[in-house]
Amino acid sequence: MFKLATLLCLVASSLGRSLVDNSSTTSGGAYGAGELTAVSSGTSWSTDELFARRSFLRPSKASSYKSQRPAERQQLNKRETHTTPADIRPTPEPTGPSSQTTTVHIIDEHDFALLLPDRPGELISDAESDGVAYCTPEGTDPACSKRVADGFIRAAAVATADDGSYIQVTGCLDVSKSSLDPSDSGGQFDVRFPNGAQCTFGGYGASFIEIVEPAANRFCLRCCSAHDDQINCNSHQDRAGCQAAIPGTYDFPALGVTCEE
């Protein structure tokens, strides 16, 4: 009854007619059980006729807006799921001749080398121009002239690509066992910095990226076998951090080690 009354009010408002109830004698009375009619210029319409003539009512802006909502939501979802394509510009050429002091390697989780600052308290980003290679205490490379302290590498994991395109080592650090700044958010080393930097896996000029994040207790190194491999060794993700640039193992529950601690 309420919906019928509302519809009839709209009709009356549009046509300038007044609604009356045949069973009601007062304009302010409640709708009775009698037939409702619209009276104008002597013309009387029944309830059924009123419903038949309701088609002239135009949809409101609100109803039109609702009809567009599914398409709008679809477009919004497309915008929300849109991701920026990876920057795969060519890898910059190496800087300077190859050098043993800036050569890293990965043999296994106990035998690898990382580029690190050579001055106490130096930020990783500042050491990109003068970092040197530090081997793990158990490293077997006779060319290693510097080694990290015992306990600096809390845990590490090595992984290789099925097609042999890269090898990587990821893990957790104990910055207190070094001269690194524990508040340093980190930085990246690659074929550009420091001079002569290379990884033995691919040789001089082959792509590699290393990120050290003292504040997050994380490190990662990936060495690619090919030059200009911006798919596997993207040197343009220097601000992305280890977990994004080099997905790998950063939690070691079997050892009770996590980089978050």
Side-chain angles (χ1 to χ4, degrees):
M1 180 65 71
F2 177 76
K3 291 183 179 179
L4 177 61
T6 301
L7 176 61
L8 294 177
C9 287
L10 287 173
V11 174
S13 175
S14 300
L15 299 180
R17 298 180 175 90
S18 62
L19 294 177
V20 297
D21 184 345
N22 287 349
S23 66
S24 175
T25 58
T26 62
S27 60
Y31 290 115
E35 183 185 45
L36 287 169
T37 61
V39 181
S40 177
S41 303
T43 301
S44 177
W45 293 335
S46 69
T47 303
D48 291 339
E49 288 175 320
L50 287 172
F51 272 96
R53 295 173 180 270
R54 75 185 186 277
S55 59
F56 76 91
L57 293 174
R58 296 180 179 178
S60 67
K61 291 182 179 180
S63 63
S64 299
Y65 177 74
K66 287 182 180 179
S67 68
Q68 296 169 2
R69 294 292 292 190
E72 291 174 356
R73 283 196 296 269
Q74 185 176 12
Q75 291 297 322
L76 180 60
N77 290 338
K78 287 182 179 179
R79 290 195 297 270
E80 290 175 343
T81 57
H82 174 73
T83 56
T84 304
D87 185 347
I88 54 174
R89 289 174 295 160
T91 303
E93 292 296 318
T95 55
S98 62
S99 170
Q100 285 295 326
T101 61
T102 54
T103 297
V104 295
H105 69 270
I106 304 173
I107 304 299
D108 58 37
E109 63 270 24
H110 302 293
D111 189 348
F112 58 91
L114 298 173
L115 289 165
L116 295 169
D118 200 32
R119 292 180 292 165
E122 184 179 19
L123 299 179
I124 302 298
S125 57
D126 293 338
E128 291 176 357
S129 60
D130 60 4
V132 296
Y134 279 78
C135 296
T136 54
E138 300 176 31
T140 57
D141 187 348
C144 287
S145 59
K146 296 179 180 291
R147 297 181 185 275
V148 298
D150 285 326
F152 174 66
I153 305 295
R154 297 180 62 205
V158 170
T160 58
D162 292 338
D163 61 0
S165 59
Y166 68 81
I167 186 172
Q168 69 179 44
V169 59
T170 59
C172 305
L173 303 172
D174 182 350
V175 180
S176 69
K177 303 294 179 61
S178 73
S179 60
L180 297 177
D181 183 343
S183 65
D184 182 6
S185 59
Q188 175 177 292
F189 299 98
D190 51 46
V191 296
R192 300 167 298 171
F193 306 112
N195 287 351
Q198 64 176 331
C199 180
T200 58
F201 183 73
Y204 183 69
S207 299
F208 83 89
I209 50 174
E210 176 193 325
I211 299 175
V212 180
E213 303 173 283
N217 304 307
R218 280 193 298 262
F219 76 91
C220 54
L221 167 64
R222 179 180 286 184
C223 300
C224 286
S225 60
H227 293 223
D228 192 25
D229 186 347
Q230 289 290 58
I231 302 299
N232 296 307
C233 290
N234 192 320
S235 61
H236 302 304
Q237 295 195 85
D238 51 318
R239 298 178 183 274
C242 277
Q243 291 174 309
I246 307 179
T249 303
Y250 298 98
D251 291 301
F252 304 83
L255 301 176
V257 174
T258 175
C259 297
E260 302 301 325
E261 296 178 350

